[in-house]
Amino acid sequence: MRLLVVGTGGMANSHAQAFAQIEGVEMVGAVDVDPKRAKGFAEKHGIANTFTSLDDAIAWGKFDAATNVTPDKAHHPTTLALLAAGKHVLCEKPLAENYAKAAEMADAAERSGLVTMVNLTYRNVAPLQKARAMVLAGDVGKLRHLEASYLQSWLVSKAWGDWATESQWLWRLSTKHGSNGVLGDVGIHILDFAGYGAGTEAERIFARLKTFDKAPGNRIGEYDLDANDSFVMTAEFGNGAMGVIHASRWATGHLNELRLRLHGDKGALEVVHTPDGSTLRACLGTDVETATWRDVDAGTVPTNYQRFVAAVRDAKTVEPGFRHAANLQKVLDLAMETEAERRELGAVHAQRSNNHAFG
């Protein structure tokens, strides 16, 4: 598979490193509006061709698939152009800035017949997949309550760099630069993490969003720091369970932690994922009486990158697909509405091509 890398910022390095390890994949081109950045990226990863516009790369055309690692607001136009050119696409999350654009992308993907996937990276977490299998097998009984959190601390720590001076972080804090804040950036991850692990989806939600003061006048250079930094959400799920979901960039002491607790009427599961690794614990059977938790071996699973390559080889789209990501975006859009209206809202069900609906 001849692969084009579209966008050569920080996350693109993770894509390139992952694809470089997959047999049969050759990265043949890199696209970035900044020629210096594109050239440096190409030299680092042994890529022969660079382009400063996607149109030029498409006109060249010597690639089969693209991995789209552009900023959020560029996902929609670039992905549509790639699909129109007949190229398979792995797109970074979120699929688009809002549900309308995401739904348009999902429609285009389904019409094209091409392989498309959204890089919801935490599907790569083996304990999450094992937890889902256990829930679906009935190991915890009927799911009653769940807690999910995505905690980051880069607004109070320089472990990832100095956000106040580096544009790779500042754009994430500015709505005019295409950011929907922590809700749009990692909210889609924790919603997918919770819904996938629980084997269900949110049907009704209420959310509160908060933007904290971060600089004089909440502005640094060209960046208005007006995007939300933290959110809390209550949700009712399709299987009747209640849940609490929250995320923040002010979570001091947590570099990048996702946690999911699933409580059923026969048992409970806990998934924790950090940069140091992932764990799965269970409280099942007679352990329920003593609240005893035991570690569960989750094995290993293929990455999204490996699954995308296999899907292209087999000419068959696999999850997480564009329609699923669009439906997640609908919930994020509703979260912003509930904040503005201060009332609970139910998602309008969107019919997927596989006849499943997401609330």
Side-chain angles (χ1 to χ4, degrees):
M1 187 177 82
R2 298 170 301 172
L3 183 71
L4 180 74
V5 181
V6 185
T8 61
M11 188 62 186
N13 288 292
S14 297
H15 282 237
Q17 290 163 6
F19 280 116
Q21 298 176 34
I22 303 174
E23 185 177 355
V25 176
E26 179 187 5
M27 288 177 286
V28 296
V31 183
D32 201 296
V33 294
D34 183 335
K36 183 178 179 181
R37 186 165 57 195
K39 183 179 179 181
F41 178 84
E43 290 176 349
K44 179 178 180 179
H45 297 289
I47 299 172
N49 302 282
T50 60
F51 305 90
T52 54
S53 82
L54 181 57
D55 287 344
D56 289 344
I58 289 174
W60 171 67
K62 296 179 181 178
F63 62 101
D64 309 301
T67 186
N68 191 342
V69 208
T70 56
D72 297 354
K73 65 180 180 180
H75 290 175
H76 175 264
T78 52
T79 296
L80 290 180
L82 288 162
L83 292 175
K87 308 300 182 181
H88 308 290
V89 181
L90 172 67
C91 185
E92 261 302 323
K93 60 76 200 167
L95 192 57
E97 299 166 86
N98 56 55
Y99 174 69
K101 289 183 178 180
E104 182 184 356
M105 294 165 71
D107 290 343
E110 289 163 2
R111 288 194 305 267
S112 74
L114 296 162
V115 172
T116 52
M117 181 186 284
V118 179
N119 193 31
L120 292 164
T121 52
Y122 299 108
R123 290 289 184 94
N124 301 339
V125 175
L128 179 67
Q129 295 198 24
K130 179 68 173 180
R132 173 184 172 85
M134 293 174 72
V135 169
L136 294 178
D139 291 1
V140 300
K142 294 179 180 179
L143 197 62
R144 299 302 195 196
H145 185 83
L146 69 82
E147 305 167 72
S149 61
Y150 193 145
L151 304 178
Q152 295 180 329
S153 59
W154 57 264
L155 284 175
V156 291
S157 166
K158 293 183 174 61
W160 291 11
D162 186 355
W163 66 266
T165 61
E166 298 176 2
S167 61
Q168 65 172 319
W169 304 112
L170 281 168
W171 79 266
R172 297 176 184 273
L173 305 175
S174 174
T175 58
K176 76 176 183 181
H177 286 81
S179 175
N180 283 328
V182 72
L183 179 72
D185 189 19
V186 305
I188 192 167
H189 273 314
I190 195 60
L191 277 171
D192 184 65
F193 201 79
Y196 184 74
T200 187
E201 305 291 359
E203 288 198 342
R204 298 190 65 83
I205 65 163
F206 177 75
R208 293 294 306 274
L209 315 178
K210 179 94 174 189
T211 305
F212 294 92
D213 292 339
K214 294 178 283 296
N218 266 329
R219 183 181 180 88
I220 297 177
E222 65 178 285
Y223 299 93
D224 293 315
L225 310 182
D226 59 346
N228 60 85
D229 303 321
S230 296
F231 81 81
V232 293
M233 179 187 296
T234 57
E236 184 174 351
F237 291 82
N239 62 4
M242 294 292 290
V244 180
I245 302 170
H246 65 101
S248 180
R249 291 170 172 153
W250 292 98
T252 307
H254 298 273
L255 291 180
N256 193 70
E257 178 193 278
L258 290 88
R259 185 183 297 266
L260 174 63
R261 294 187 177 101
L262 302 167
H263 304 281
D265 61 359
K266 293 182 179 178
L269 301 170
E270 180 189 63
V271 180
V272 180
H273 176 73
T274 73
D276 295 326
S278 310
T279 59
L280 172 62
R281 297 193 309 152
C283 179
L284 303 171
T286 57
D287 286 339
V288 170
E289 302 299 331
T290 57
T292 300
W293 291 79
R294 302 183 191 277
D295 292 336
V296 177
D297 183 2
T300 59
V301 296
T303 67
N304 283 347
Y305 309 104
Q306 292 169 320
R307 295 175 63 242
F308 176 69
V309 172
V312 171
R313 183 186 61 231
D314 298 338
K316 183 178 180 181
T317 290
V318 296
E319 292 295 332
F322 278 24
R323 184 64 62 188
H324 173 67
N327 289 330
L328 287 176
Q329 189 62 47
K330 178 186 293 184
V331 178
L332 299 182
D333 287 4
L334 279 176
M336 288 184 276
E337 284 189 45
T338 68
E339 163 66 16
E341 298 187 19
R342 298 296 172 94
R343 66 185 180 92
E344 182 184 69
L345 290 174
V348 178
H349 281 62
Q351 193 71 22
R352 301 186 200 172
S353 60
N354 62 1
N355 294 324
H356 290 294
F358 179 86

